Amino acid sequence: MKKKLLQSFMLVLVLILIACSNKDSEGTAEEVSEGISKATVINNVLEKTITSYKAKTEATVVGSSKNEELETTFTMDMVVQKEPFLIYFSEVYPEDMTKGYIDIDSEYYNFNNSERWYKISELDMDEKQELIKDGYFLGDFKKLLEFEDIFELQYREDEYILIAKVNDSSDKKSLAFVTDYVENTMKMELETKHLKAKINKFKYTLIFNKDFLLKSSNIIANIDLYEEIGNSNLVLNSDTVYSDVNNVNNLVVPEEISRNAIIKEEL
């Protein structure tokens, strides 16, 4: 199985679906007793303006196909700033490490802590504008409204917890929440026109503080993928913790990187 398949799966679910949480909420949370509804929680979340944040993700992925099985771990540290738009990330796999800055005009990458940084322009302006508009992850919160009924609301120690559990026998609307997004996004990531997904298990947990700001989230998933080059199964357990929400200030690309980076059309 190609490493790109594993990376794509993790990045799609971790970055776009906001994966993370260092706790499994099942069995430890109590039903909300204050009378607040799911709609109220979700609306309060959507009303929050997110201008910056830090995130730390840890994930394990086991991928298997007809002739190969591969297990890998993945960690990512991110800092996101909306104005001026800038993302810093550091992602680590067992065999390599990548650091980078993404601003509105350029992208800078460093591999395995070498002395060289490379400058490219890979994301088009429209895509970057979407990142800016949605605060890099708020676009997916908006999906919660559309699929509000598949989430269970729980409460623990001044935390609001939204949990969605989906499997192959779930109702069509619940399955659509996962399968449509996985299929459409991974088609682009894997550069394939025909891709189908079967959701064997998918548990998505979002934890918010009493002010309705995201603290963490968790994804546990078992998904079968069917594409032209063959079929594969991917199992993900991913945790992300968010901090310094709206408190990141003056994030910039270091001058020595922007001045000395080697220009390339692509990496």
Side-chain angles (χ1 to χ4, degrees), residues 6 15 26 46 65 72 79 145-146 162 172 179 186 198 209 215 217 232:
L6 293 177
L15 297 183
E26 187 172 8
L46 288 170
S65 59
T72 189
V79 184
L145 287 175
E146 182 180 354
L162 290 171
K172 292 182 179 180
T179 55
M186 292 195 72
K198 177 185 176 183
N209 66 17
K215 292 180 64 177
S217 60
S232 58

Side-chain angles (χ1 to χ4, degrees), residues 8-239:
S8 297
F9 184 68
M10 282 186 286
L11 291 174
V12 168
L13 294 182
V14 174
L15 297 183
I16 305 183
L17 286 180
I18 322 171
C20 290
S21 169
N22 51 6
K23 298 179 182 178
D24 186 346
S25 301
E26 187 172 8
T28 63
E30 298 178 354
E31 294 296 326
V32 172
S33 59
E34 288 80 1
I36 189 170
S37 67
K38 284 186 294 184
T40 300
V41 171
I42 292 172
N43 285 333
N44 286 338
V45 167
L46 288 170
E47 288 177 359
K48 294 294 180 180
T49 299
I50 306 299
T51 59
S52 63
Y53 65 92
K54 295 180 181 178
K56 184 176 183 63
T57 297
E58 297 181 357
T60 300
V61 173
V62 178
S64 58
S65 59
K66 184 177 181 180
N67 300 315
E68 188 177 4
E69 181 170 316
L70 178 64
E71 179 176 351
T72 189
T73 57
F74 166 88
T75 62
M76 173 178 279
D77 290 285
M78 293 184 65
V79 184
V80 176
Q81 176 179 274
K82 188 174 181 180
E83 292 182 2
F85 174 67
L86 183 60
I87 297 171
Y88 167 80
F89 71 90
S90 172
E91 58 181 20
V92 179
Y93 292 88
E95 65 276 17
D96 58 49
M97 173 182 181
T98 303
K99 294 186 292 186
Y101 291 88
I102 301 174
D103 64 22
I104 194 63
D105 298 314
S106 306
E107 299 170 38
Y108 302 87
Y109 293 95
N110 175 274
F111 303 100
N112 299 318
N113 284 321
S114 70
E115 295 182 358
R116 294 182 177 180
W117 279 80
Y118 298 92
K119 178 180 179 180
I120 63 170
S121 230
E122 188 172 291
L123 288 175
D124 61 37
M125 292 295 290
D126 290 339
E127 187 172 354
K128 289 184 179 178
Q129 290 294 341
E130 285 298 311
L131 293 179
I132 295 172
K133 182 179 69 175
D134 289 334
Y136 200 58
F137 58 59
L138 287 182
D140 288 286
F141 283 161
K142 295 174 183 177
K143 297 180 187 299
L144 295 179
L145 287 175
E146 182 180 354
F147 297 98
E148 176 186 330
D149 55 330
I150 75 171
F151 282 86
E152 173 188 356
L153 175 62
Q154 298 181 353
Y155 180 82
R156 180 187 60 214
E157 298 176 357
D158 295 326
E159 293 177 339
Y160 297 98
I161 304 168
L162 290 171
I163 302 175
K165 298 178 183 178
V166 179
N167 57 48
D168 190 45
S169 61
S170 297
D171 61 88
K172 292 182 179 180
K173 188 172 184 179
S174 299
L175 281 170
F177 177 72
V178 180
T179 55
D180 291 352
Y181 200 81
V182 169
E183 288 177 6
N184 292 333
T185 306
M186 292 195 72
K187 281 179 183 178
M188 295 183 290
E189 291 288 327
L190 299 175
E191 298 178 354
T192 181
K193 293 182 179 179
H194 303 287
L195 177 69
K196 293 295 182 181
K198 177 185 176 183
I199 309 303
N200 301 312
K201 178 181 179 181
F202 187 87
K203 182 181 178 183
Y204 181 31
T205 305
L206 292 166
I207 300 179
F208 303 89
N209 66 17
K210 63 182 180 180
D211 297 318
F212 304 100
L213 291 176
L214 184 65
K215 292 180 64 177
S216 62
S217 60
N218 171 262
I219 287 181
I220 299 172
N222 183 314
I223 298 177
D224 292 331
L225 295 177
Y226 305 93
E227 57 175 328
E228 298 98 324
I229 62 174
N231 305 330
S232 58
N233 172 261
L234 294 170
V235 178
L236 170 73
N237 191 336
S238 177
D239 293 291

